[in-house]
């Protein structure tokens, strides 16, 4: 679709918003991508003017997740109607064959969400080895490999495709994704030379632009991404990504801030991870920041790690506070703010003890926060740390769905599975950001206990704080161009015991109890309104910039 075709096909912003209210949130995330595709297909059945957009989304989803049989089937229908080349139609047809998952499929949800990664991987290897079930398990195995950091399993899926003449053309596409996940953007650029760009033109261009940007070649990335946007200007994520490259957020001059600057870190018995985190922190641009570490009752080598790390910071800018017992994450955050005496005009950054920070993380997050007078917190894009885990997104901006019968608070998962191809490296206002690495205005921390201790030892206290601010008229700002690597796997796999799973479920119930359905319905509508306004503004500005 050429620029402007979306509007001519009945896909104006007003028309889209009526039939696809979540469109402005993007197309990333497994649930969100399927939801948008199903909603658009239903709308196109009633309004033929949307048929072109429906076909474009089907083509996009297939290239983004070629192992998804439903996406392949929709792309096949679109390819037949659009007169796509025979090899594209043949590949879509081959990948649309789902096969029978077998009787063991009933066990998979428990294995997938459990803590025993080895058992789940062994189960998948068994299914892939059975010719009767292999086709039904390719997508599950590939997604699980990416989410749990299993490169051998991911490569086994690609190798299996390569041995099948009907599927071999898709194998280089998976290999490029594997290269990006475990070996980095330079390796992905090399792998892209072996991807058939006539079969996967959208993926090829998007992945190339992302890898170029990640290796410091932003001008080259723009040269690749602009033609893609002109051809696919309907795509909300492309507009946000192109805008972020054209107009990057300002970076703060940390030495010229009106108030003081703090970096807070709390830790408990994770000395090796803490040591690596402090190394990356000391190597980053901190300006006059005072770093305060709370040793939360540790019994390992944390004290020695902190003494050694102190030598890497300027005199008087690294302090350690020790508590005799672990008071939990919310209380630790409150304690750090209180002991520092942070004031309304100051800035305070919280950093987890198992992250790797890029050099400019603080200048970028502080710059994003100060550039938005309505925001009291700015956060980064969180990716799984490599090696040992695929560099896939673990968190992006937190968006809100309206309450349903089960939950009042419904955060939207708008990332993964699979490595981010740049569509999350964007900047936009939102209700909340991830607490692994975020910067707050001192006014949001000064006085009282901003982080709710009812969520101790951990879970949702940062989200609850952000939501209280959002309901009071404030907001967060997401600076997705800042990628912070996180060593702990996110999601249900974190809960390795029955007690931990119970704590997680209990925290979820507490979160719903703190916020009424009526209040969250208002918050979700405000979030959607803001997202649509932001999308339309950035689409116009991108068009003007390109001319």
């Amino acid at each position: 679709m050429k620029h402007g075709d979306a509007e001519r096909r009945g896909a104006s912003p007003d028309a889209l918003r009526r039939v696809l209210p979540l469109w402005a949130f993007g197309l990333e995330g497994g649930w969100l991508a399927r939801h948008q595709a199903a909603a658009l297909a239903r709308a196109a059945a009633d309004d033929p003017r949307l048929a072109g957009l429906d076909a474009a989304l089907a083509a996009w989803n297939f290239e983004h997740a070629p192992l998804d049989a439903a996406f392949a089937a929709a792309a096949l229908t679109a390819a037949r109607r659009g007169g796509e080349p025979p090899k594209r139609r043949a590949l879509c047809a081959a990948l649309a064959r789902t096969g029978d998952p077998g009787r063991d499929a009933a066990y998979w949800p428990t294995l997938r969400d459990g803590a025993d990664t080895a058992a789940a991987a062994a189960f998948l290897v068994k299914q892939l080895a059975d010719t009767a079930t292999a086709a039904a398990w390719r997508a599950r195995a590939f997604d699980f490999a990416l989410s749990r950091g299993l490169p051998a399993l991911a490569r086994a899926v690609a190798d299996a495709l390569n041995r099948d003449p009907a599927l071999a053309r898709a194998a280089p596409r998976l290999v490029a994704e594997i290269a990006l996940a475990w070996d980095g953007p330079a390796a992905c650029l090399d792998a892209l030379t072996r991807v058939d760009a006539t079969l996967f033109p959208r993926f090829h261009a998007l992945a190339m632009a992302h890898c170029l940007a990640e290796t410091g070649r932003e001008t080259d990335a723009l040269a690749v991404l602009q033609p893609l946007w002109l051809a696919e200007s309907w795509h909300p994520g492309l507009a946000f990504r192109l805008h972020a490259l054209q107009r990057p957020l300002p970076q703060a001059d940390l030495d010229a801030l009106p108030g003081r600057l703090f970096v807070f870190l709390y830790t408990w018995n994770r000395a090796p991870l803490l040591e690596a985190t402090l190394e990356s922190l000391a190597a980053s641009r901190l300006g006059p920041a005072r770093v305060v570490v709370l040793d939360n009752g540790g019994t390992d080598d944390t004290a020695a790690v902190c003494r050694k790390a102190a030598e890497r910071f300027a005199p008087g800018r690294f302090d350690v506070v020790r508590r005799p017992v672990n008071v939990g994450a919310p209380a630790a955050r409150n304690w750090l703010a209180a002991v520092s005496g942070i004031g309304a005009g100051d800035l305070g950054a919280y950093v987890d003890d198992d992250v790797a920070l890029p050099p400019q993380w603080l200048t970028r997050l502080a710059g994003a926060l100060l550039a938005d007078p309505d925001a009291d917190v700015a956060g980064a894009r969180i990716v799984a740390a490599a090696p040992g885990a695929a560099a896939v997104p673990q968190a992006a901006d937190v968006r809100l769905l309206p309450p349903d019968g089960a939950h009042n608070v419904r955060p939207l998962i708008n990332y993964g599975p699979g490595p981010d191809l740049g569509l999350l490296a964007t900047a936009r206002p939102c209700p909340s950001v991830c607490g692994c690495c975020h910067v707050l205005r001192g006014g949001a921390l000064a006085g009282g206990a901003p982080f709710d201790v009812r969520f101790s030892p951990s879970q949702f206290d940062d989200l609850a704080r952000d939501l209280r601010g959002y309901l009071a008229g404030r907001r967060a700002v997401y600076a997705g161009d800042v990628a912070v690597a996180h060593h702990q796997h996110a999601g249900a796999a974190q809960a390795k015991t029955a007690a931990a799973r119970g704590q997680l479920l209990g925290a979820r119930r507490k979160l719903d109890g703190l916020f009424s359905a009526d209040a969250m319905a208002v918050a979700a509508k405000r979030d959607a309104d803001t997202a649509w306004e932001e999308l339309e503004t950035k689409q116009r500005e991108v068009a003007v910039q390109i001319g």
Side-chain angles (χ1 to χ4, degrees):
M1 296 171 70
K2 300 300 182 184
H3 180 47
D5 280 0
E7 287 77 7
R8 288 195 293 272
R9 292 174 184 267
S12 67
D14 288 342
L16 277 176
R17 190 167 184 177
R18 285 194 297 272
V19 299
L20 296 166
L22 303 184
W23 187 258
F25 291 149
L27 302 172
E28 299 298 285
W31 178 88
L32 185 58
R34 288 188 289 274
H35 173 85
Q36 305 281 46
L40 181 56
R42 290 192 298 270
D46 295 330
D47 185 350
R49 293 175 299 172
L50 292 170
L53 183 59
D54 183 38
L57 180 57
W60 184 277
N61 282 337
F62 166 68
E63 293 188 33
H64 190 69
L67 296 182
D68 188 305
F71 285 163
L76 175 60
T77 300
R80 286 169 174 165
R81 292 175 179 171
E84 294 278 358
K87 64 178 182 179
R88 167 102 173 185
R89 299 199 301 270
L91 182 59
C92 289
L95 288 166
R97 300 186 189 108
T98 58
D100 182 359
R103 290 177 297 178
D104 290 345
Y107 303 122
W108 175 239
T110 300
L111 285 169
R112 178 195 62 208
D113 298 334
D116 194 340
T117 297
F123 174 86
L124 289 169
V125 169
K126 175 185 174 184
Q127 302 303 324
L128 292 172
D130 188 339
T131 56
T133 60
W137 289 93
R138 286 190 296 253
R140 294 180 177 95
F142 197 72
D143 289 347
F144 187 78
L146 289 166
S147 68
R148 294 293 183 92
L150 303 172
L153 179 59
R155 292 187 179 107
V157 175
D159 290 344
L161 263 62
N162 201 39
R163 292 191 296 269
D164 188 330
L167 303 173
R169 291 180 183 273
R173 156 68 182 80
L174 296 190
V175 170
E177 193 167 348
I178 292 168
L180 177 58
W182 280 282
D183 304 317
C188 183
L189 282 172
D190 179 66
L192 285 170
T193 63
R194 293 177 286 279
V195 175
D196 188 337
T198 64
L199 279 173
F200 299 101
R202 300 160 185 85
F203 168 82
H204 190 274
L206 184 63
M208 179 171 289
H210 177 58
C211 292
L212 289 169
E214 290 290 292
T215 52
R217 299 161 62 184
E218 287 84 359
T219 301
D220 293 337
L222 278 168
V224 174
L225 201 59
Q226 286 175 351
L228 179 62
W229 183 79
L230 287 169
E232 308 278 337
S233 60
W234 56 270
H235 195 298
L238 279 179
F240 282 113
R241 176 56 173 153
L242 192 51
H243 190 279
L245 285 172
Q246 290 175 342
R247 306 183 185 195
L249 288 171
Q251 296 192 44
D253 181 352
L254 301 182
D255 292 307
L257 296 177
R260 296 173 299 168
L261 179 62
F262 298 91
V263 176
F264 300 133
L265 191 154
Y266 54 92
T267 185
W268 181 63
N269 283 349
R270 294 208 283 190
L273 289 172
L274 173 65
E275 184 174 21
T277 297
L278 290 175
E279 286 179 3
S280 72
L281 179 61
S284 65
R285 297 182 181 179
L286 297 175
R290 178 186 168 202
V291 178
V292 185
V293 177
L294 174 61
D295 180 352
N296 213 357
T299 57
D300 63 355
D301 294 332
T302 293
V305 166
C306 290
R307 284 194 298 270
K308 180 181 177 181
E311 300 172 0
R312 305 191 60 178
F313 294 87
R317 292 187 180 171
F318 184 84
D319 296 311
V320 179
V321 179
R322 176 172 171 79
R323 301 295 301 158
V325 295
N326 185 348
V327 297
R333 285 172 164 158
N334 292 336
W335 184 275
L336 284 163
V339 77
S340 71
I342 194 168
D346 301 329
L347 296 181
Y350 285 91
V351 175
D352 275 9
D353 62 356
D354 62 343
V355 299
L357 299 161
Q360 297 176 324
W361 72 276
L362 188 52
T363 60
R364 289 185 173 185
L365 290 184
L369 179 57
L370 296 175
D372 188 339
D374 295 324
D376 58 14
V377 58
R381 181 170 100 256
I382 308 300
V383 299
V392 300
Q394 289 187 347
D397 51 338
V398 177
R399 317 309 304 225
L400 297 175
L401 296 174
D404 61 9
H407 297 292
N408 293 342
V409 181
R410 295 179 64 207
L412 170 64
I413 297 177
N414 60 349
Y415 53 87
D420 174 29
L421 299 177
L423 296 179
L424 297 175
T426 62
R428 54 187 181 181
C430 57
S432 179
V433 288
C434 181
C436 287
C437 178
H438 56 168
V439 178
L440 295 99
R441 296 185 191 271
L445 297 172
F451 297 98
D452 196 326
V453 296
R454 286 173 289 186
F455 289 104
S456 290
S458 186
Q459 296 292 344
F460 305 131
D461 56 298
D462 50 344
L463 174 59
R465 194 227 66 83
D466 289 355
L467 289 179
R468 284 197 302 271
Y470 195 67
L471 292 172
R474 304 295 291 168
R475 66 188 187 188
V477 59
Y478 170 66
D481 63 332
V482 182
V484 173
H486 186 220
H487 287 276
Q488 179 172 291
H489 286 299
Q494 290 187 50
K496 299 183 182 299
T497 66
R501 290 189 289 273
Q503 190 270 329
L504 180 63
L505 292 172
R508 187 68 179 87
R509 184 175 290 272
K510 291 175 190 175
L511 185 68
D512 285 323
L514 287 176
F515 302 97
S516 71
D518 288 344
M520 293 312 300
V522 172
K525 182 180 185 305
R526 177 188 166 199
D527 186 26
D529 290 343
T530 300
W532 276 99
E533 291 168 6
E534 193 77 6
L535 174 60
E536 292 170 26
T537 297
K538 290 186 172 175
Q539 284 176 328
R540 288 193 299 269
E541 291 177 351
V542 164
V544 169
Q545 187 83 11
I546 292 177

